[in-house]
Amino acid sequence: MRRFSWLLISIFIIFCGFFLFETEAFPAQENFYSDSKRMLERNIADGIMRRQEGDFSQSVELFRRALETAQRTGDQEKEIDCLMNSGILSWNLGLMKESSVYYKEALTLARNLRLKDKENECSTAVQIYEAYSMAKELRSAGRYEESIQYFRMAISLAKRINSLEHELKCLRQMSINY
C-alpha cells in the first residue's frame, strides 16, 4: 500500500511539474501569433520607411524577415505585401528579373485569395517589367522609336498603379534614347 501511495504521489508531482514547465516555457499559441503579428507589422512599416529613406539594404533585410514571419504564421495577405515591397525594392536596386519574380509570386497568391486590387497591381507591375525589358532590347538594337513607345507604355502602366518608382526608372531609361 505504501508503494502504491508513493507511486501516486510521484505521478502527481511529475504531472504538476510538467504542467508548470509547459506553461512557463512555451507561451500560449495566441501570444505567439500576436507577438509574431506585431513583429510582422513593425518590420513592414520599418521596411517601407527605410525604402523611402533610400536605405535599401536595411529595407531588404526587414522585408526578408517579414516575409518569413508571414509565411510561418500563414498570413498570406501580408505575404503578398512583403513580396510586392520586395519587388519594388529589387526594381530600385536594378534587379529587374528578381523584381518580376517577386511580383509574379505575389500575383499567384493574390489570384488564389481573390484579392482583385493586389492582383491588378501585381499584374501591371509584371507588364511594366516586360515593356521595360523590350524597350531596352529595342534600344540596344538601335530601334529608338520603337524603344520609346515601349517605355511610354511602361510609364503609362506605372501611372495607372501610382508607382512613381517604376515611372522614374522608365523615364530615366527612355531619356537615354534621346
Side-chain angles (χ1 to χ4, degrees), residues 4 11 18 37 39 41 45-46 65 69 80 83 96-97 100 109 119 134 142 153 157 168 177:
F4 184 72
I11 291 171
F18 177 76
K37 186 124 177 111
M39 181 175 36
E41 295 288 341
D46 289 348
R65 281 191 247 154
T69 303
I80 292 168
L83 290 166
M96 308 321 220
K97 285 183 184 177
S100 177
L109 280 173
E119 183 181 339
M134 179 58 76
M153 182 188 315
L157 291 166
L168 178 62
N177 285 346

Side-chain angles (χ1 to χ4, degrees), residues 121-173:
E121 188 173 346
C122 293
S123 175
T124 303
V126 170
Q127 291 172 20
I128 292 168
Y129 165 75
E130 291 168 352
Y132 175 90
S133 297
M134 179 58 76
K136 285 185 73 175
E137 284 179 32
L138 290 166
R139 184 179 63 214
S140 292
R143 297 165 58 188
Y144 300 109
E145 286 302 318
E146 291 173 86
S147 172
I148 290 169
Q149 292 306 313
Y150 275 93
F151 278 125
R152 285 186 179 148
M153 182 188 315
I155 291 164
S156 174
L157 291 166
K159 287 179 180 181
R160 185 185 317 163
I161 60 171
N162 297 318
S163 178
L164 295 175
E165 290 158 297
H166 283 109
E167 186 179 350
L168 178 62
K169 189 174 285 291
C170 292
L171 284 166
R172 233 184 280 134
Q173 286 295 320

Side-chain angles (χ1 to χ4, degrees), residues 16-35:
C16 289
F18 177 76
F19 180 75
L20 289 172
F21 171 76
E22 185 172 306
T23 56
E24 289 179 18
F26 302 105
Q29 192 83 2
E30 302 128 22
N31 289 339
F32 169 76
Y33 283 110
S34 64
D35 289 346

Side-chain angles (χ1 to χ4, degrees), residues 2-157:
R2 239 183 188 177
R3 228 185 237 171
F4 184 72
S5 298
W6 280 107
L7 181 61
L8 285 176
I9 291 170
S10 298
I11 291 171
F12 180 74
I13 291 171
I14 290 170
F15 176 76
C16 289
F18 177 76
F19 180 75
L20 289 172
F21 171 76
E22 185 172 306
T23 56
E24 289 179 18
F26 302 105
Q29 192 83 2
E30 302 128 22
N31 289 339
F32 169 76
Y33 283 110
S34 64
D35 289 346
S36 293
K37 186 124 177 111
R38 278 193 299 274
M39 181 175 36
L40 176 60
E41 295 288 341
R42 187 177 63 239
N43 283 338
I44 290 172
D46 289 348
I48 290 169
M49 183 181 71
R50 297 287 187 194
R51 187 183 88 225
Q52 290 171 341
E53 292 172 350
D55 187 355
F56 297 142
S57 61
Q58 184 63 34
S59 184
V60 165
E61 178 59 26
L62 288 162
F63 280 112
R64 184 192 60 76
R65 281 191 247 154
L67 180 59
E68 288 173 359
T69 303
Q71 290 170 333
R72 188 175 62 248
T73 60
D75 190 337
Q76 291 185 316
E77 287 190 48
K78 292 297 182 196
E79 187 176 345
I80 292 168
D81 291 340
C82 293
L83 290 166
M84 290 172 68
N85 276 288
S86 295
I88 197 64
L89 271 167
S90 297
W91 180 269
N92 287 335
L93 292 167
L95 305 170
M96 308 321 220
K97 285 183 184 177
E98 188 175 313
S99 173
S100 177
V101 168
Y102 280 123
Y103 278 114
K104 286 177 182 176
E105 193 173 336
L107 176 59
T108 299
L109 280 173
R111 280 185 179 146
N112 290 342
L113 295 175
R114 293 184 170 92
L115 300 172
K116 293 297 180 194
D117 289 344
K118 301 238 186 221
E119 183 181 339
N120 179 52
E121 188 173 346
C122 293
S123 175
T124 303
V126 170
Q127 291 172 20
I128 292 168
Y129 165 75
E130 291 168 352
Y132 175 90
S133 297
M134 179 58 76
K136 285 185 73 175
E137 284 179 32
L138 290 166
R139 184 179 63 214
S140 292
R143 297 165 58 188
Y144 300 109
E145 286 302 318
E146 291 173 86
S147 172
I148 290 169
Q149 292 306 313
Y150 275 93
F151 278 125
R152 285 186 179 148
M153 182 188 315
I155 291 164
S156 174
L157 291 166

